[in-house]
Amino acid sequence: MKKIYISMFVLSAFFFTGCADDFLDVDQTQSISTDDIELFNNDAGAATFVTSIYSKFLEWDMSSFGWIGLASITSDDADKGSSPGDTGTDKDVLDALTYNSSNPSAESTFTAQYDGINRCNQALNILPKLDKADSALRERLMGEAKFLRAYMYFTLVKCYGGVPIVDHLPNPSSIEDKNMLLTRKTAAETYAFIEKDLNEAIAVLPVKAAYSDDEKARASKGAAYALLAKVNLYQKNWQKVVDNCNLVTGYAIAPSYADMFRTTGENGVESIFEINGVGSVPIKGIQGYSNTQGARGTGGWGWGFNVPSQSLLNAYEAGDVRKDATIIFRGTTLYDGRVIPATVENPMYNLKAYSSLYTDAWETDANIICLRFGEVVLMKAEALNELGQTSEAIPLLNQIRHRAGLGDTSAASQADVRTAIWKERRVELAFEFDRFFDLVRTGQAKAAFAADGKTFTEGKNELFPIPASFILQANGLTAQNPGY
């Protein structure tokens, strides 16, 4: 019986992932024989190929320790935390911006995205062949796969710049496909590919309200428009940002900021797309996400990494409810009654990663919010202001401030409103993996890191290094980022 096996080293091996029926219960090591494909030629079988993509976001290498280090500990919002002598493998050098091309977190993040992209390509390859499955369902599933592939490529282009674009399952005997796997495209080409995937996803995805309650974590038309607006934001295509933000409908600003980051508020009215870490057996949630960021020491429950910085704490205005909804303070009691004793090692921890229901010591039911309507409002405000429509941007900025318990902004000029929006993004989206990339895209990085006691080297630190192992394997087909 012929088999197509999972076997991946960075990009150049070719694999076919098997998957189970449950949204979160996926056997990542199963292989599927070509003779057994017919077993999946039905609605439930078709869905499993996209289920395996979502399941990737629950894994340690995709959403947990390495990603936390790369996208959060590097920023001025966070410090390494934990015990002084515990480096977390590389979290100390990430915190200091002194990492090199052999950095484990940069490598694991790079590889994890391509693992997920391969799952997307598998789904897009097999779904058109499942002719006994409902045609509308297959179209929707292909739209989900394209949205998720676009999401992963957006992560890659933010982190590394232009990257290899793998848009189909490679043929092991094809020189062209080998070159596809190992040849880096430009950032502009990568963004164009992302936009193509998102526009094709938009054409077939339903609105969020069309999904049943047990499918609410799936990608929707609104999620694709929101991500497309964010892709436009990073390219400074301001009118497109406004246009796509206007198409994100059916959502609202949640009345309570704090509730969004508790199990009671998951997938609520503001949520556009989030990683669903529900507590079910055998996979109980996102591997190590809450534990690695939990309070460390006597009376604690975790490793204590990725702690709020003094710089972030100082950024909150008096009366801003987002401060206590974002930061766990030593010596306080949390909303669920958990006491944070004075014996924990660090004075502050990340409350957005906290789960009050620990299904065991490692995996919890905490979700990760990836896209929400509050950010859509801020993206539209930023774009309108850059287009010279400052008077239209200010009410949007104030909408976010009012939910935080603050009054209207005092900013009036375009320059002052720009600064106010950037400041609002910082405190609104703290610990949601945007701050480092916001500093880079807005040109604030060098000054912001200097104020936080870190040296940001312009011309280098805007991007993370392409893994040295991949550069070696590419054998001249891909060049390293400057400075590494």
Side-chain angles (χ1 to χ4, degrees), residues 125 142 147 222 304 366 411 415 471:
N125 176 65
M142 291 179 71
F147 168 83
I471 296 294

Side-chain angles (χ1 to χ4, degrees), residues 55-321:
S55 73
K56 180 64 191 178
F57 288 94
L58 302 176
E59 294 185 9
W60 169 259
D61 62 344
M62 188 74 157
S63 301
S64 199
F65 205 33
W67 172 243
I68 291 164
L70 204 68
S72 189
I73 292 175
T74 51
S75 79
D76 62 343
D77 277 358
D79 294 324
K80 173 185 75 70
S82 189
S83 298
D86 189 344
T87 65
T89 305
D90 62 350
K91 305 307 177 288
D92 54 340
V93 296
L94 289 170
D95 195 8
L97 302 181
T98 57
Y99 40 84
N100 59 31
S101 61
S102 297
N103 180 261
S105 294
E107 181 169 3
S108 65
T109 297
F110 185 87
T111 305
Q113 304 306 314
Y114 279 107
D115 187 2
I117 287 163
N118 255 304
R119 296 186 191 198
C120 296
N121 289 338
Q122 291 159 23
L124 292 167
N125 176 65
I126 195 65
L127 284 169
K129 303 171 185 177
L130 302 180
D131 55 1
K132 295 179 184 177
D134 179 76
S135 59
L137 172 64
R138 284 187 292 149
E139 281 199 352
R140 190 203 84 193
L141 291 170
M142 291 179 71
E144 291 179 62
K146 288 181 179 179
F147 168 83
L148 294 168
R149 186 168 67 177
Y151 189 91
M152 295 171 199
Y153 269 111
F154 186 48
T155 296
L156 285 168
V157 76
K158 287 188 299 181
C159 289
Y160 308 100
V163 291
I165 295 174
V166 184
D167 63 357
H168 62 271
L169 288 180
N171 181 340
S173 62
S174 167
I175 295 298
E176 290 79 8
D177 282 357
K178 179 183 178 182
N179 289 340
M180 171 186 70
L181 291 165
L182 299 174
T183 304
R184 187 178 187 183
K185 300 295 186 181
T186 65
E189 289 172 315
T190 307
Y191 275 119
F193 181 72
I194 293 167
E195 291 179 6
K196 179 177 181 291
D197 261 357
L198 289 174
N199 282 314
E200 291 177 4
I202 286 165
V204 296
L205 285 175
V207 297
K208 182 180 178 181
Y211 280 116
S212 59
D213 286 346
D214 62 346
E215 293 185 312
K216 58 190 174 184
R218 306 193 84 94
S220 66
K221 195 180 295 289
Y225 276 128
L227 183 55
L228 186 55
K230 196 164 183 174
V231 168
N232 299 147
L233 183 80
Y234 273 68
Q235 298 174 90
K236 304 186 190 309
N237 292 329
W238 303 118
Q239 188 58 54
K240 288 184 178 180
V241 176
V242 175
D243 294 343
N244 284 308
C245 285
N246 286 339
L247 293 167
V248 182
T249 58
Y251 305 90
I253 298 297
S256 170
Y257 182 86
D259 282 351
M260 286 192 291
F261 307 98
R262 302 173 186 174
T263 55
T264 54
E266 290 173 349
N267 295 299
V269 296
E270 187 164 333
S271 173
I272 298 175
F273 180 66
E274 57 189 83
I275 299 168
N276 221 33
V278 298
S280 59
V281 175
I283 295 179
K284 304 180 179 69
I286 303 160
Q287 296 173 354
Y289 179 74
S290 295
N291 183 274
T292 55
Q293 300 179 78
R296 182 178 181 127
T298 305
W301 61 91
W303 296 6
F305 286 94
N306 194 35
V307 299
S309 65
Q310 187 65 40
S311 174
L312 174 62
L313 180 63
N314 293 343
Y316 290 99
E317 297 174 43
D320 192 332
V321 302

Side-chain angles (χ1 to χ4, degrees), residues 260-462:
M260 286 192 291
F261 307 98
R262 302 173 186 174
T263 55
T264 54
E266 290 173 349
N267 295 299
V269 296
E270 187 164 333
S271 173
I272 298 175
F273 180 66
E274 57 189 83
I275 299 168
N276 221 33
V278 298
S280 59
V281 175
I283 295 179
K284 304 180 179 69
I286 303 160
Q287 296 173 354
Y289 179 74
S290 295
N291 183 274
T292 55
Q293 300 179 78
R296 182 178 181 127
T298 305
W301 61 91
W303 296 6
F305 286 94
N306 194 35
V307 299
S309 65
Q310 187 65 40
S311 174
L312 174 62
L313 180 63
N314 293 343
Y316 290 99
E317 297 174 43
D320 192 332
V321 302
R322 294 171 295 192
K323 181 179 72 174
D324 287 336
T326 301
I327 301 175
I328 295 173
F329 293 95
R330 184 167 55 194
T332 60
T333 301
L334 300 185
Y335 63 89
D336 60 353
R338 182 190 285 270
V339 175
I340 312 301
T343 49
V344 297
E345 293 194 26
N346 305 101
M348 296 181 286
Y349 295 94
N350 176 12
L351 183 54
K352 289 182 178 178
Y354 174 74
S355 172
S356 61
L357 176 60
Y358 273 69
T359 53
D360 64 20
W362 186 240
E363 294 161 326
T364 70
D365 61 346
N367 283 13
I368 301 176
I369 296 177
C370 302
L371 295 166
R372 58 184 176 88
F373 193 64
E375 184 179 10
V376 171
V377 171
L378 286 173
M379 288 195 294
K380 184 178 177 181
E382 184 172 347
L384 286 170
N385 188 58
E386 295 302 327
L387 290 167
Q389 300 171 47
T390 301
S391 61
E392 295 179 41
I394 291 172
L396 297 173
L397 175 61
N398 287 335
Q399 185 180 359
I400 299 300
R401 290 178 56 82
H402 293 168
R403 196 258 302 271
L406 302 174
D408 289 349
T409 181
S410 60
S413 69
Q414 184 186 43
D416 287 347
V417 169
R418 178 184 296 122
T419 301
I421 291 170
W422 290 348
K423 163 75 177 300
E424 208 62 36
R425 280 188 65 90
R426 181 182 193 183
V427 290
E428 175 72 17
L429 303 173
F431 287 98
E432 296 179 47
F433 304 106
D434 277 299
R435 177 62 176 173
F436 178 90
F437 305 109
D438 271 351
L439 289 175
V440 170
R441 73 172 180 85
T442 59
Q444 301 176 83
K446 185 173 183 178
F449 281 111
D452 197 39
K454 302 178 184 181
T455 300
F456 182 93
T457 302
E458 292 182 322
K460 174 185 177 181
N461 287 132
E462 290 87 352

